[in-house]
Amino acid sequence: MFDVWFGELAINDMKKNIKEEETSTLDGTVDQHGRPAIRRRTGTWFAGILILVNQGLATLAFFGVGVNLVLFLTRVMGQDNAEAANSVSKWTGTVYIFSLLGAFLSDSYWGRYKTCAIFQAIFVVGLVSLSLSSYIFLVKPAGCGDEQTPCGSHSSTQLGLFYLSIYLIALGNGGYQPNIATFGADQFDEEDSKEGHYKVAFFSYFYLALNLGSLFSNTILGYFEDEGMWALGFWASAGSATLALVLFLLGTPRYRHFTPRGNPLSRFCQVVVAAARKWKVEVPQSGEDLFEVSGKECSNNGGRKILHTYGFKFLDRAAIITSKECTMQAKECHNPWRICPVTQVEEVKCVLRLLPIWLCTILYSVVFTQMASLFVEQGAAMKTTISSFHIPPASMSSFDILSVVTFIFVYRQVRRFR
């Protein structure tokens, strides 16, 4: 009798363990084959740590070029300070423009994983091209490019290859950066209380990895490049980016994905157009009578709904079903340019609520951009020798990095005791 009882308990425990292992995530993510992601087999910190290391290595590679680019332009390419600062500002601006391209392709067509992989490959190609061109003909004669020895002139072909290389780097890093953080956050199911806390922690660790990578490039790589070993610094960046790409691809079987479901710009415009068509319609006091669909058709975010809110009420007109529309054919009733579900309307409201935050970052970005150009040029003009040790000008940015790392640690400790 006891044998039977213990046997039943063992079978029940085994069934329970199998059920837990096969439990899917609740946020609608899928695995690499498009099937619902199994919680224990995908995502969480295994994938998250790979992405954190990937980000640290990729940041090291990017700033290994970007932080000293202004000195490379003055010492190797022969530009004056104003021209070099202007060139770096244009290059940095191009990185941010390509970020828009990467975000658009990720959300609309490729998904975050594919977008990150493709643009990281472009990033590696650009770094290898810059390393080769610097080693073969840009840093000539050998040993030039330090404070004392300027390099010779360069042909139009050599200049063209140089600019092609750095703008391939801008394209690769720009398309990769806006997606890697959100792809890392996708590895944690926010519908699960435990993984939801992990997701919040991930963003702090992500920014920490970013700053540690840039700290290494601003100090160690910056020192070698300041001594005229430009090719060595660029090859180190290329190797770091290659290792980052390999680690990223190794985690492919464990990643969770959100399926891209269309152009977000058209979804935004659909709400605006649908609301404008009904500008004379009275907005209801509650959201109960507004149009919404259920299941996976509810929206474009993996089948999850967003509850109705009372801000920007004029947009609620896009979800009102008028008597005129109810008499139309069924396909007209579901025309997204005439009527939009509440979730889609709320997505537009979320974007509008973020606009003040985005606008506030404009002045900050104008100042922050100078750290890669004027700050480094100022450091090169200063006396940066302590005793017999020479501090590279690019290391001036290290104070910003160290302060960020410190405050991330303080923030995590304060949050833990709240």
Side-chain angles (χ1 to χ4, degrees), residues 169-415:
I169 294 171
L171 172 61
N173 186 262
Y176 155 83
Q177 277 299 334
N179 296 297
I180 191 65
T182 49
F183 183 63
D186 290 345
Q187 308 311 309
F188 303 95
D189 183 1
E190 64 182 18
E191 301 295 334
D192 179 80
S193 58
K194 188 176 181 180
E195 290 194 20
H197 289 297
Y198 291 161
K199 175 177 283 193
V200 175
F202 173 82
F203 282 109
S204 295
Y205 295 136
F206 181 86
Y207 203 55
L208 179 65
L210 185 152
N211 281 277
L212 289 177
S214 58
L215 178 64
F216 185 89
S217 60
N218 288 6
T219 53
I220 307 301
L221 292 187
Y223 177 80
F224 287 107
E225 291 172 354
D226 187 55
E227 294 296 318
M229 291 179 275
W230 294 99
L232 175 62
F234 293 157
W235 277 118
S237 293
S240 178
T242 303
L243 180 59
L245 176 59
V246 170
L247 288 175
F248 181 79
L249 295 177
L250 285 177
T252 300
R254 296 293 299 269
Y255 292 140
R256 297 174 184 173
H257 310 263
F258 279 106
T259 306
R261 296 175 182 270
N263 188 343
L265 295 178
S266 64
R267 291 176 56 79
F268 186 97
C269 293
Q270 286 168 358
V271 173
V272 175
V273 171
R277 285 175 182 242
K278 306 170 190 173
W279 66 278
K280 291 184 178 181
V281 177
E282 184 177 353
V283 180
Q285 293 298 319
S286 66
E288 296 178 359
D289 298 327
L290 298 177
F291 173 69
E292 181 64 289
V293 292
S294 58
K296 290 188 177 181
E297 299 177 3
C298 71
S299 187
N300 212 7
N301 61 354
R304 293 175 294 169
K305 291 183 181 180
I306 302 178
L307 298 178
H308 174 261
T309 60
Y310 292 96
F312 300 103
K313 291 195 69 172
F314 61 93
L315 291 175
D316 289 344
R317 291 186 174 91
I320 297 175
I321 304 177
T322 62
S323 57
K324 178 181 178 181
E325 288 173 338
C326 288
T327 59
M328 293 181 178
Q329 296 179 357
K331 64 179 181 180
E332 286 294 323
C333 284
H334 295 284
N335 183 344
W337 295 96
R338 288 186 173 275
I339 185 167
C340 304
V342 170
T343 298
Q344 186 175 346
V345 174
E346 292 301 320
E347 290 171 353
V348 176
K349 291 182 181 181
C350 290
V351 173
L352 295 179
R353 291 187 182 105
L354 286 173
L355 283 178
I357 300 176
W358 292 340
L359 293 175
C360 289
T361 62
I362 293 176
L363 290 178
Y364 164 79
S365 298
V366 171
V367 176
F368 186 77
T369 304
Q370 308 308 314
M371 295 186 67
S373 55
L374 297 179
F375 275 39
V376 179
E377 289 182 343
Q378 180 63 41
M382 294 167 59
K383 181 182 178 181
T384 56
T385 302
I386 299 178
S387 185
S388 60
F389 182 73
H390 175 65
I391 301 174
S395 296
M396 288 190 67
S397 302
S398 301
F399 294 102
D400 164 69
I401 297 167
L402 291 173
S403 65
V404 170
V405 171
T406 302
F407 280 107
I408 287 176
F409 175 77
V410 172
Y411 170 78
R412 293 299 307 165
Q413 295 303 312
V414 172
R415 185 179 178 85

Side-chain angles (χ1 to χ4, degrees), residues 55 95-107 112 115-116 119 170-184 206:
Q55 171 64 16
V95 174
Y96 292 130
I97 290 174
F98 285 139
S99 296
L100 298 176
L101 173 64
F104 175 79
L105 291 173
S106 170
D107 292 339
R112 295 185 183 114
T115 303
C116 288
F119 280 104
L171 172 61
N173 186 262
Y176 155 83
Q177 277 299 334
N179 296 297
I180 191 65
T182 49
F183 183 63
F206 181 86

Side-chain angles (χ1 to χ4, degrees), residues 70-214:
V70 67
L71 293 183
F72 187 84
L73 291 172
T74 54
R75 297 179 182 179
V76 178
M77 306 306 293
Q79 297 184 5
D80 58 44
N81 285 344
E83 185 182 4
N86 188 34
S87 297
V88 171
S89 296
K90 291 178 180 177
W91 180 76
T92 305
T94 305
V95 174
Y96 292 130
I97 290 174
F98 285 139
S99 296
L100 298 176
L101 173 64
F104 175 79
L105 291 173
S106 170
D107 292 339
S108 303
Y109 304 108
W110 291 351
R112 295 185 183 114
Y113 170 79
K114 186 176 180 180
T115 303
C116 288
I118 290 175
F119 280 104
Q120 279 191 84
I122 296 173
F123 184 46
V124 171
V125 171
L127 286 167
V128 171
S129 175
L130 177 63
S131 303
L132 283 172
S133 59
S134 298
Y135 178 75
I136 294 172
F137 47 73
L138 290 180
V139 187
K140 295 295 180 182
C144 72
D146 57 8
E147 287 185 282
Q148 287 77 32
T149 312
C151 294
S153 59
H154 304 95
S155 66
S156 299
T157 302
Q158 293 170 348
L159 289 173
L161 182 58
F162 166 73
Y163 282 109
L164 174 64
S165 300
I166 63 171
Y167 279 96
L168 278 176
I169 294 171
L171 172 61
N173 186 262
Y176 155 83
Q177 277 299 334
N179 296 297
I180 191 65
T182 49
F183 183 63
D186 290 345
Q187 308 311 309
F188 303 95
D189 183 1
E190 64 182 18
E191 301 295 334
D192 179 80
S193 58
K194 188 176 181 180
E195 290 194 20
H197 289 297
Y198 291 161
K199 175 177 283 193
V200 175
F202 173 82
F203 282 109
S204 295
Y205 295 136
F206 181 86
Y207 203 55
L208 179 65
L210 185 152
N211 281 277
L212 289 177
S214 58

Side-chain angles (χ1 to χ4, degrees), residues 16-52:
K16 182 179 179 181
N17 292 333
I18 294 174
K19 185 177 180 181
E20 289 179 353
E21 290 179 1
E22 298 299 322
T23 300
S24 300
T25 55
L26 303 175
D27 59 357
T29 50
V30 297
D31 61 16
Q32 62 174 333
H33 303 293
R35 299 178 298 224
I38 304 301
R39 187 180 303 280
R40 291 204 173 191
R41 298 181 188 174
T42 60
T44 63
W45 281 117
F46 180 87
I49 290 174
L50 280 179
I51 292 173
L52 290 175

